[in-house]
Amino acid sequence: MDVTHLEHVVIALIIQLSLLPFVSARVAGVIPVAILLGREIAQHEYRLGIQRGWAWGETLPVGMFEGVWRGWTLDSVLDVLLPALACGLLALMIGFKKRHTAKNS
């Protein structure tokens, strides 16, 4: 596990917690995961473009969804998967706490 994985988990949880007053815990968890997923896909597209001789100012020589299925490494998978697990766990804990307090009221 790299330090960037921990950074991504912390950033995702901060975003999730900051969105909780406005949306449900599930929605608040999906948003940071979607942001991190989009970031990883964009990094894959740029990496593929650079491998193909792309330079700034030119059109990126990458297919529309090529960054989605090419360029994934274990590091980039963990950059998305670990925050997704952390946000999912937090959403489950919040949901469990709400159900538990509603039952006892």
Side-chain angles (χ1 to χ4, degrees):
M1 187 164 148
D2 194 357
V3 72
T4 60
H5 304 136
L6 181 60
E7 290 171 353
H8 287 166
V9 168
V10 170
I11 290 167
L13 290 175
I14 289 171
I15 293 171
Q16 183 180 15
L17 290 170
S18 66
L19 291 173
L20 280 176
F22 308 106
V23 294
S24 70
R26 290 180 186 175
V27 172
V30 168
I31 291 172
V33 173
I35 291 169
L36 290 171
L37 179 62
R39 178 181 179 272
E40 288 299 320
I41 292 170
Q43 285 180 346
H44 297 160
E45 289 174 349
Y46 282 119
R47 195 174 305 126
L48 287 169
I50 290 170
Q51 289 173 357
R52 296 174 183 168
W54 172 77
W56 286 101
E58 299 175 356
T59 303
L60 199 60
V62 178
M64 184 179 288
F65 296 106
E66 202 169 358
V68 174
W69 65 77
R70 290 191 188 210
W72 287 90
T73 63
L74 179 61
D75 186 50
S76 60
V77 169
L78 290 176
D79 278 344
V80 177
L81 184 63
L82 292 177
L85 291 174
C87 288
L89 183 62
L90 181 61
L92 284 173
M93 290 183 345
I94 290 171
F96 178 75
K97 182 180 177 191
K98 283 184 179 180
R99 281 192 300 269
H100 185 68
T101 49
K103 243 186 218 181
N104 292 336
S105 297

